[in-house]
Amino acid sequence: MRLILAIGLTLILSAPACLGVKIADITRIGGQRTNVLAGLGLVYGLNGTGDGGSFSAAINPLREMLSKFNDGVAVKDLSSASNVALVAITATIPANGVRNGDHLDVHITSLGAAASLKGGRLFVTPLQGPDPNDHQVLALAEGPVDLEDASTPTVGVIRAASGGAVMEKDLPARSIDDSGRFQLIIDEPSASWTMASNIAQIINDAQGDGQTVASAFDQKNVIVTIPADEREHPDTFISAVQRLPVKIVATEARVQINTRTGTIIMTGDVEISPVVISHKGLSI
């Protein structure tokens, strides 16, 4: 603890009062965020390590799946099946969006009594978005399951290179609204009214014609309106905004203590008064 505190104080005292960074270094554009696709499916081909015939939550979907292929098998006929497992399926859409035909990694977790998913393969499964009222199929997941950790054989992954989730629709990141505006979201701990106002002023000054295109909405958000003559090809304007330099202004003094890792993080404005530290019989 003493070493961590000493290093932290050294770094703080030696740091410059303010650092110059680009707007892109401390903000992200609104609409650029990850999303999760999800579904329930069946992993088959397990070597006797599946849910077992008594687990109806797995056997009923298996019967329904077989019926789609004109196999009218009854539930009782599957009572000895132990090579199938019911699993939860998730795939993460990256912040920059995806296009029809893109492949994503798929993460698989057993929901039943299966002992292991090793050697199994996920049957073709539709994946949907986070809106429970939107039932459209956004991707199809399929492929061989690899264990992520041998000590947890009921959790696996299907790599995009082996199949994974294949997108059935375009899901681009929507950053610009119908009015030609986009949002700059300021990262913590830089977010403040001062920083938001500062970023807006820098963007407006960069126009060079007195035009007001940016304004601080709150401590974390700056709304930027793309000039009319730039909207047909907004990439040049957005890129120029992201490259504008901004100084990190002084913030209020903050101390964050992580008792789990034993680390202390302090901003440059923290002042330490005379203090006695006692730890395991040692006093400083």
Side-chain angles (χ1 to χ4, degrees):
M1 179 66 78
R2 287 182 299 155
L3 178 59
I4 294 173
L5 181 59
I7 293 174
L9 288 173
T10 301
L11 291 175
I12 291 170
L13 293 175
S14 61
C18 61
L19 300 174
V21 297
K22 298 189 297 294
I23 286 179
D25 295 331
I26 58 171
T27 67
R28 65 178 176 88
I29 295 178
Q32 291 185 331
R33 49 154 294 177
T34 61
N35 267 304
V36 177
L37 305 181
L40 294 177
L42 293 173
V43 170
Y44 63 97
L46 302 174
N47 187 17
T49 60
D51 288 328
S54 61
F55 188 63
S56 60
I59 299 305
N60 285 333
L62 175 60
R63 179 184 60 81
E64 292 175 7
M65 181 189 76
L66 293 173
S67 68
K68 294 178 181 178
F69 294 92
N70 297 319
D71 188 335
V73 64
V75 171
K76 63 182 180 62
D77 298 325
L78 301 172
S79 60
S80 61
S82 59
N83 63 342
V84 176
L86 180 69
V87 294
I89 308 164
T90 59
T92 300
I93 297 176
N96 290 326
V98 288
R99 297 291 180 178
N100 190 338
D102 284 350
H103 288 243
L104 303 174
D105 286 350
V106 170
H107 295 273
I108 306 291
T109 304
S110 172
L111 293 176
S116 175
L117 300 178
K118 182 179 180 180
R121 187 179 187 96
L122 177 68
F123 189 75
V124 179
T125 305
L127 301 183
Q128 299 176 343
D131 184 354
N133 299 317
D134 185 0
H135 302 294
Q136 64 175 323
V137 175
L138 301 180
L140 293 176
E142 190 274 339
V145 179
D146 294 325
L147 299 184
E148 293 186 278
D149 185 345
S151 64
T152 312
T154 54
V155 177
V157 62
I158 303 174
R159 300 296 180 189
S162 302
V166 183
M167 296 302 304
E168 296 296 314
K169 295 182 178 293
D170 292 338
L171 293 178
R174 180 174 171 80
S175 302
I176 304 171
D177 67 16
D178 295 336
S179 300
R181 300 181 304 176
F182 66 92
Q183 184 179 13
L184 291 174
I185 302 174
I186 305 172
D187 299 334
E188 293 290 353
S190 299
S192 68
W193 277 112
T194 302
M195 178 56 74
S197 177
N198 189 28
I199 289 176
Q201 187 62 50
I202 289 171
I203 296 173
N204 290 329
D205 290 345
Q207 301 311 300
D209 54 4
Q211 186 178 183
T212 299
V213 299
S215 61
F217 180 78
D218 58 25
Q219 298 96 319
K220 281 186 66 68
N221 298 276
V222 176
I223 306 300
V224 184
T225 301
I226 302 173
D229 58 348
E230 300 272 8
R231 292 180 189 177
E232 186 174 354
H233 300 287
D235 53 305
T236 302
F237 176 79
I238 295 175
S239 176
V241 167
Q242 289 185 309
R243 295 197 307 270
L244 290 173
V246 58
K247 289 185 178 180
I248 301 297
V249 296
T251 60
E252 67 272 19
R254 300 182 187 180
V255 178
Q256 294 180 334
I257 300 175
N258 189 324
T259 56
R260 183 178 61 84
T261 60
T263 56
I264 301 175
I265 301 175
M266 295 177 285
T267 66
D269 297 319
V270 171
E271 295 182 2
I272 300 178
S273 301
V275 64
V276 175
I277 301 174
S278 180
H279 180 66
K280 293 183 179 180
L282 176 64
S283 295
I284 302 175

